[in-house]
Amino acid sequence: MDTNAKVIVNDSVSDHLCPALFQCFTIIICGYVAGRLNVVSKLESKGIATFVGTFALPSLIFLSLARLDFSVVNWTFLVAILLAKGLVFFLVIMVTLLVSRPTHLGQAGIFAIFCTQSNDFALGFPIIDAIYNKTHPEFALYLYLMAPISLAILNPVAFILMELHKQRENSQTVVNSPPHLQKLKMFIQLCKGIIFNPVLIMTILGIIGNIAFKHQLSVYIEGLLDVFGQSFSAAALFLLGLRMVGQIMRLRGPALILPCVLIIVKLIILPVVMRECVSALDAGANQSETQSLSTYAFLYGTIPTAPAVFVFSNLYQLEIDLMASSMVFCTFLSAPIIFLSAEVISINKDFADQIQKFAFDVSIVALIAALWILLVFTVTKKYKSIPHKLTLCLNISQILQAISVIWGGPVNNSPLSWNTTIQQAFQLFSSYSCLLWTSMLTIGILMLESRGPSFVVTLWPVLAFVAWGAPAVMVGVLLAATGGVVGGDAADAIRLCVLFFCITLTTGCLLLYARLRRRDARADETERLIDNEHASGNHFFSNYGNLALLIHIYLIIFTGTYGTITASPSPNRNDDCSNDLNCNNGLVANNSQDIEDITNERLVIFLECACPPSQQLRCKSSESCPCLRPPDGAARGRGAQLLRHTVLIIAYSLMMFLALTITAWRVMRKDQTGVFIEVEFLDTAFCYGQALIMFVLFGLNPEEIFIPTVRYLKKKWYGTDTVVLPPIDELPFETKHICEQFITHHLERCKKDIAEDIRWRMRTHRRVFRGASLVRWLVRAGLAADAREAELYARHLLDGRLLAHVARRHHFSNSPLLYTFD
């Protein structure tokens, strides 16, 4: 493609893509405003959802399938797309089922649809037509062929999973029914749910209609369904805006991880897998056509998720708020990726110097960020704790990597010398070390959750030896084998092996860690229930725990089944029950659950005890057990910052996936033009700028650096670090009026509702409340419309001396900080 053609393509993208995105987001905003102002109520939005899911979407599906001409089709290309989507689809299902406990079939189904179904008609067609209308006009028509891959092949599998989950949930309400009758009823309901699903029905009917009418529908049928189909985009996007009301603010903390993972899979992993599958199957008639089809597959994968996914979540009442928020974010984030892909699609020239300059610039910024992280960890003494000690080692490797790249300069075309060899070997060593330290960090977090911080401290020298010793050995072997030449096929082959090892190890440990976190959350809940039983005088567990422990060990070791012990005596139990093996001493075993659901605390202690056999008999309880126990809530909570470490590992896993793709691409000597350049730049940004991700997660915490600095400056300026409030005489009229109104009408009732005794850091604070509690109370009392307005209202009360922070150090905020009424 010449330069003029490239300009035409890019102008066409701007002319078509911007209006399409503007239309979509304007409709979403209109729906949000309508819901925010209560112009459309929640009850009315349910009616819109019913119309979209029952009439508009099925009509659009039927039309798109019934009017297709299957006579001229590149079936190899479609098989490649099916293979790519199928790989991602079933991988998402498998990972979701492995992580979720108890197994959540519906969640696995809706997540798989989210990651594989694109917005083919509302956004896909104008984008693809804008890019390829001058060179490959037939590519836009392929959208109608690729849509059935999700609609007719993959989505029905997800519908079955979601219907199974729905029937399983409904069957829990059925009591006193024989097990075989419950299974029969569930099977009948499952069949009814699938048969009467409008989306699946119209998918099948669309294929049948295409064969029966030879893709030429009657004008009456086509006209009727076309009216319904045309209303889908606007209604679905408007409904999406309605569902966003009050939901975005809920995506905080752990709630942000899942949407980010889903969006990464949809916008980055799926496009790369699609391109690789098309290239591997050699879908084109020649190399040039295969390259064009693989690039087109990558662009198709970057199209955001379809609004139909949100409709499906409404139909099955599964993760509605999560799907609504994730779809909006996915659509926003897809825009720059699509623009970048369209920009580099026709580039076909040497870009090695540009990549090296880009890596040099990124490394300078990354070095500054990494040094800041080192300073934060040193000042706050986090390097002494786990897992920050491992994170600091990763940070040191990132510093070494940035120094090695800066050492080589922006353009290194100098002949081979000792200086160049040492620099390249140093860069290779630090790159391998960063990859291995990511895996070692994941192992450390897993061991922290399962064995405790003491065990990780003991394991740290081994992790350090692997993460720093193995790269040194690999670089030394490479230098010896190539005669001092660093790089080439040998270096790519070693990097490919390291990446594969690190991705496998990191992903596996991350999945195990997620399962342990869920198990510990349920164990904490069970422990609270047991404590309540003991407080009420029920000593059932202490009386019958020994036999229950032996029964569970037998089930686990010899039968492979796992059961839970419930604290309810068997209805057949009597005083002479000790000789009846079926009685189980009053304990009812439920073998339908797995080991993560075991709630007997003494069993968990026995199974996880790391003491010698002679010492395990003395492990009567978690307090007296001298072995390395799992950490308590404090170790797993705020101090360890496990959520931020989890996000860090997920981001670095994406980095390793891109690096694996680009390295395999280079080893197999495929074409290195077009989208390859985009992926190469993206890999360079992730690889040499990974310290920036750590900077965002660990270097911008105001409680660690900025707040102590402000306190120090306050102390120097005012002579104290307490909050300095304006004098009473200078308070504005609004503050005085709010305080008087609150004292007259609400103060006593508010004290009665939220003031209580709270124990914090070995001290009991009398008649205090948390800032978030007051915010919720003000909203419920009608004194504020939302949390932001309630926080401003409470700040007036603090300025008026009606309330204060318990240590007089903070102004009011919607947070867990403790306050008291003055």
Side-chain angles (χ1 to χ4, degrees):
M1 183 182 294
D2 57 14
T3 306
N4 293 332
K6 177 184 174 183
V7 172
I8 292 175
V9 167
N10 290 337
D11 289 343
S12 183
V13 171
S14 302
D15 293 341
H16 291 80
L17 181 59
C18 291
L21 293 176
F22 173 77
Q23 293 169 7
C24 292
F25 288 114
T26 303
I27 296 173
I28 293 173
I29 292 172
C30 288
Y32 178 82
V33 172
R36 192 70 179 177
L37 300 179
N38 205 27
V39 175
V40 180
S41 64
K42 290 185 178 181
L43 183 62
E44 293 168 339
S45 67
K46 292 181 180 179
I48 299 176
T50 302
F51 168 77
V52 172
T54 308
F55 295 97
L57 179 59
S59 300
L60 183 65
I61 292 172
F62 182 88
L63 281 178
S64 63
L65 294 176
R67 293 188 297 192
L68 288 179
D69 184 4
F70 294 108
S71 58
V72 183
V73 175
N74 187 335
W75 293 106
T76 306
F77 174 72
L78 291 181
V79 169
I81 296 298
L82 172 61
L83 177 62
K85 282 194 172 186
L87 286 174
V88 176
F89 184 89
F90 289 105
L91 181 63
V92 171
I93 290 178
M94 181 180 68
V95 172
T96 305
L97 294 179
L98 287 175
V99 173
S100 62
R101 280 295 181 273
T103 302
H104 200 306
L105 297 175
Q107 197 178 64
I110 196 66
F111 288 170
I113 295 179
F114 180 92
C115 294
T116 54
Q117 183 166 347
S118 302
N119 193 353
D120 298 326
F121 306 118
L123 278 177
F125 188 87
I127 292 171
I128 298 300
D129 184 65
I131 296 174
Y132 287 106
N133 61 350
K134 301 295 183 183
T135 57
H136 298 280
E138 72 278 4
F139 280 2
L141 300 178
Y142 270 101
L143 291 174
Y144 294 98
L145 296 172
M146 290 185 290
I149 292 176
S150 292
L151 297 175
I153 301 176
L154 299 178
N155 285 7
V157 177
F159 293 150
I160 292 175
L161 294 177
M162 290 187 286
E163 194 65 36
L164 277 172
H165 172 75
K166 179 180 178 181
Q167 300 306 325
R168 181 180 293 179
E169 291 290 321
N170 293 338
S171 67
Q172 292 179 359
T173 60
V174 180
V175 295
N176 297 327
S177 297
H180 64 279
L181 290 180
Q182 291 187 17
K183 293 180 180 180
L184 179 60
K185 291 180 179 179
M186 180 183 295
F187 178 76
I188 294 174
Q189 292 296 328
L190 173 64
C191 294
K192 287 177 59 179
I194 295 174
I195 293 173
F196 293 104
N197 185 300
V199 175
L200 187 57
I201 289 175
M202 297 305 282
T203 300
I204 298 174
L205 291 179
I207 298 175
I208 296 175
N210 187 294
I211 299 173
F213 297 104
K214 302 185 183 303
H215 60 267
Q216 296 293 333
L217 294 177
S218 168
V219 65
Y220 297 100
I221 298 177
E222 184 174 3
L224 175 64
L225 297 181
D226 194 41
V227 172
F228 280 116
Q230 289 176 358
S231 65
F232 168 75
S233 295
L237 294 173
F238 189 85
L239 180 64
L240 182 59
L242 286 174
R243 292 297 310 179
M244 288 303 300
V245 176
Q247 303 303 329
I248 297 180
M249 298 305 295
R250 296 184 181 181
L251 292 181
R252 296 178 178 178
L256 275 174
I257 295 181
L258 190 54
C260 291
V261 171
L262 294 175
I263 292 172
I264 287 173
V265 173
K266 176 64 186 74
L267 296 183
I268 297 180
I269 295 180
L270 179 64
V272 172
V273 173
M274 281 185 171
R275 190 191 191 283
E276 289 300 305
C277 288
V278 173
S279 298
L281 294 183
D282 197 14
N286 50 55
Q287 184 177 0
S288 176
E289 185 179 352
T290 300
Q291 179 180 345
S292 299
L293 288 172
S294 62
T295 303
Y296 169 55
F298 183 90
L299 287 170
Y300 172 70
T302 60
I303 298 174
T305 303
V309 181
F310 174 68
V311 177
F312 300 152
S313 66
N314 264 286
L315 288 175
Y316 288 97
Q317 294 297 303
L318 285 170
E319 306 291 348
I320 299 175
D321 301 330
L322 174 64
M323 289 295 104
S325 305
S326 300
M327 284 182 56
V328 172
F329 293 152
C330 182
T331 307
F332 272 108
L333 293 175
S334 66
I337 297 178
I338 293 172
F339 271 113
L340 180 61
S341 302
E343 181 67 25
V344 303
I345 192 174
S346 58
I347 297 179
N348 187 11
K349 61 180 181 179
D350 184 18
F351 56 93
D353 292 344
Q354 286 79 4
I355 290 286
Q356 192 170 358
K357 290 179 182 178
F358 180 65
F360 179 82
D361 296 337
V362 171
S363 297
I364 294 176
V365 181
L367 179 61
I368 298 173
L371 292 174
W372 173 259
I373 293 296
L374 180 63
L375 175 64
V376 170
F377 279 21
T378 304
V379 171
T380 59
K381 301 187 184 302
K382 284 188 173 182
Y383 64 91
K384 296 181 179 180
S385 63
I386 298 293
H388 293 88
K389 190 173 185 177
L390 305 177
T391 312
L392 181 63
C393 295
L394 174 59
N395 176 252
I396 293 173
S397 296
Q398 292 170 351
I399 293 175
L400 297 178
Q401 184 184 44
I403 292 175
S404 66
V405 176
I406 296 173
W407 181 4
V411 179
N412 188 6
N413 295 324
S414 58
L416 184 64
S417 63
W418 281 106
N419 180 68
T420 305
T421 301
I422 295 174
Q423 181 267 327
Q424 292 178 351
F426 188 38
Q427 181 177 346
L428 208 59
F429 164 80
S430 58
S431 176
Y432 293 162
S433 179
C434 289
L435 295 173
L436 288 170
W437 264 121
T438 301
S439 299
M440 298 304 106
L441 176 61
T442 315
I443 293 176
I445 292 178
L446 176 62
M447 293 298 103
L448 175 65
E449 185 68 22
S450 61
R451 294 299 182 190
S454 300
F455 186 83
V456 182
V457 171
T458 306
L459 190 65
W460 179 82
V462 179
L463 301 179
F465 176 78
V466 173
W468 278 325
V473 173
M474 287 185 287
V475 173
V477 171
L478 179 64
L479 289 174
T482 58
V485 179
V486 180
D489 295 339
D492 287 338
I494 294 176
R495 187 169 189 247
L496 194 65
C497 295
V498 173
L499 284 167
F500 183 78
F501 170 78
C502 292
I503 287 178
T504 305
L505 184 60
T506 302
T507 305
C509 291
L510 198 60
L511 291 175
L512 290 175
Y513 168 73
R515 295 181 67 177
L516 284 175
R517 290 286 289 179
R518 290 178 178 270
R519 186 203 66 181
D520 289 340
R522 291 193 300 274
D524 292 341
E525 180 65 23
T526 303
E527 184 178 354
R528 284 193 293 269
L529 294 175
I530 295 175
D531 290 340
N532 293 336
E533 290 290 327
H534 281 291
S536 62
N538 188 345
H539 302 288
F540 176 78
F541 278 92
S542 59
N543 292 335
Y544 300 102
N546 292 328
L547 181 58
L549 178 62
L550 296 177
I551 293 172
H552 274 76
I553 294 171
Y554 170 80
L555 290 173
I556 292 172
I557 296 177
F558 296 102
T559 68
T561 58
Y562 311 113
T564 59
I565 296 298
T566 61
S568 58
S570 172
N572 299 325
R573 180 178 180 266
N574 50 44
D575 294 336
D576 193 19
C577 189
S578 58
N579 296 325
D580 187 0
L581 294 178
N582 295 325
C583 177
N584 292 340
N585 272 347
L587 295 178
V588 181
N590 179 8
N591 293 328
S592 62
Q593 302 181 26
D594 61 12
I595 194 169
E596 282 79 14
D597 296 325
I598 294 175
T599 60
N600 189 305
E601 183 180 2
R602 299 187 63 194
L603 171 62
V604 176
I605 294 170
F606 184 90
L607 292 176
E608 297 186 355
C609 181
C611 298
S614 60
Q615 207 171 9
Q616 287 181 357
L617 296 177
R618 294 199 298 269
C619 296
K620 301 290 185 182
S621 64
S622 59
E623 290 78 16
S624 62
C625 181
C627 68
L628 300 174
R629 294 288 303 136
D632 56 10
R636 300 195 307 264
R638 185 177 180 182
Q641 294 183 315
L642 293 181
L643 172 62
R644 301 188 183 197
H645 281 92
T646 304
V647 175
L648 181 74
I649 293 172
I650 291 174
Y652 286 176
S653 299
L654 170 65
M655 174 198 74
M656 290 188 288
F657 173 79
L658 289 176
L660 181 69
T661 301
I662 207 73
T663 306
W665 214 328
R666 193 182 295 112
V667 167
M668 288 186 266
R669 301 184 182 279
K670 295 183 179 181
D671 59 280
Q672 297 185 5
T673 58
V675 175
F676 176 87
I677 303 175
E678 178 184 1
V679 180
E680 179 80 5
F681 271 99
L682 195 59
D683 173 62
T684 302
F686 271 106
C687 181
Y688 298 108
Q690 55 185 286
L692 297 174
I693 301 175
M694 189 181 294
F695 172 77
V696 172
L697 292 172
F698 297 99
L700 299 177
N701 191 354
E703 296 181 356
E704 297 174 349
I705 298 296
F706 299 111
I707 290 180
T709 304
V710 171
R711 287 179 182 172
Y712 176 79
L713 295 176
K714 281 184 179 180
K715 191 171 183 180
K716 289 297 182 182
W717 183 264
Y718 297 107
T720 178
D721 62 351
T722 57
V723 177
V724 179
L725 300 176
I728 295 289
D729 336 348
E730 300 179 7
L731 290 176
F733 171 78
E734 182 183 6
T735 300
K736 294 179 180 179
H737 176 70
I738 289 176
C739 292
E740 291 174 0
Q741 181 190 40
F742 190 79
I743 292 173
T744 306
H745 301 286
H746 308 288
L747 180 58
E748 293 303 324
R749 184 159 56 94
C750 184
K751 285 183 179 180
K752 181 180 178 181
D753 290 344
I754 66 174
E756 58 182 344
D757 296 341
I758 298 178
R759 186 171 179 81
W760 173 251
R761 291 185 177 178
M762 307 301 293
R763 179 184 173 188
T764 300
H765 299 272
R766 304 292 180 184
R767 307 301 296 167
V768 297
F769 57 91
R770 300 191 183 276
S773 300
L774 179 59
V775 167
R776 289 193 295 269
W777 189 92
L778 291 173
V779 174
R780 287 198 306 267
L783 298 177
D786 51 26
R788 179 59 182 165
E789 187 175 332
E791 185 175 5
L792 295 175
Y793 189 99
R795 284 178 169 266
H796 286 292
L797 300 181
L798 193 141
D799 288 340
R801 278 69 169 180
L802 289 186
L803 53 94
H805 181 252
V806 291
R808 312 282 176 173
R809 290 184 176 178
H810 300 281
H811 211 293
F812 185 85
S813 62
N814 184 9
S815 67
L817 292 176
L818 297 179
Y819 297 87
T820 181
F821 288 105
D822 279 355

